[in-house]
Amino acid sequence: MNKYLAELIGTFWLVLGGCGSAVLAAAFPEVGIGLLGVSLAFGLTVLTMAFAIGHISGCHLNPAVTLGLLAGGRCPTRDAVPYIVAQVVGAVAAGGVLYLIASGQEGFDLAAGFASNGYGEHSPGGYSMTAALVTEVVMTMMFLFVIMGATDKRAPQGLAPVAIGLCLTLIHLISIPVTNTSVNPARSTGVAVYVGDWAVGQLWLFWVAPIVGGVLGAVIYKLVSTEADEA
């Protein structure tokens, strides 16, 4: 049970740290951290937890990562479902804590989005469903490619958390304007359940696209890595 609890706590930290920075600090009067700060916050949550629990659970914190690593031969089949359940529970718990904090400010309104992911009129930049779908598939694909490579036994040892954290930061810098950046079904679910309405209605895309992208990224890395071994 230790690794499942570690995944729950790690995902709790990812959602509280990443979504919390977006809800509480992104547009704070005069000293808001903005898009760059939110992007960095998401990267730091993964980096810090990778060092804290990587040796316990592998620090997936993301159903798309778990299923991608499963496809890439890096995750035992028996762990997949318990990991995903733990991740979603941790994300929803973090969303609850964030709601308790954010609602303590006068004028707080869930209709503002609560850091939910969306497309069309709910995309920060007004991007279409197709644009959102392509973005989430490609970004998650590259995320898994980096994860697979950084944790390869041939890669420089001890630096994987840095590479993975910076990769997630870069992904947010690219895609926040399009979807508010998911690449993580648990992260999307953790806040969408509190917003309800459109956030839950559009949640399907932020499960389907990251999972497809994650599996593609892992399979592509496995192919590239195998060809490199043969060469």
Side-chain angles (χ1 to χ4, degrees), residues 28-224:
F28 190 76
E30 299 180 11
V31 291
I33 61 175
L35 185 153
L36 178 60
V38 173
S39 300
L40 186 58
F42 270 101
L44 287 174
T45 62
V46 171
L47 189 154
T48 52
M49 272 297 155
F51 280 116
I53 67 169
H55 55 287
I56 300 172
S57 69
C59 193
H60 296 189
L61 317 185
N62 182 339
V65 170
T66 295
L67 294 175
L69 293 177
L70 179 65
R74 300 276 191 88
C75 175
T77 303
R78 67 178 181 276
D79 284 339
V81 172
Y83 265 43
I84 292 171
V85 170
Q87 291 155 5
V88 172
V89 170
V92 172
V97 170
L98 180 56
Y99 176 79
L100 288 174
I101 295 170
S103 61
Q105 183 183 48
E106 186 176 353
F108 169 73
D109 185 6
L110 276 174
F114 199 51
S116 292
N117 302 112
Y119 54 82
E121 65 178 309
H122 302 293
S123 157
Y127 287 85
S128 68
M129 181 182 74
T130 300
L133 186 66
V134 171
T135 298
E136 290 293 325
V137 168
V138 174
M139 293 300 156
T140 317
M141 179 181 73
M142 295 309 302
F143 191 36
L144 262 292
F145 191 89
V146 169
I147 290 172
M148 291 283 288
T151 56
D152 194 304
K153 62 180 182 296
R154 297 165 295 180
Q157 297 300 300
L159 296 178
V162 177
I164 295 167
L166 289 177
C167 181
L168 189 60
T169 298
L170 176 58
I171 286 169
H172 279 77
L173 287 172
I174 297 167
S175 60
I176 285 178
V178 184
T179 62
N180 222 16
T181 310
S182 171
V183 302
N184 184 339
R187 168 263 187 269
S188 298
T189 303
V191 289
V193 295
Y194 295 95
V195 177
D197 193 23
W198 65 267
V200 172
Q202 295 189 353
L203 188 58
W204 68 270
L205 186 144
F206 303 103
W207 273 86
V208 173
I211 288 172
V212 170
V215 171
L216 281 175
V219 169
I220 292 170
Y221 181 80
K222 194 173 181 180
L223 176 63
V224 171

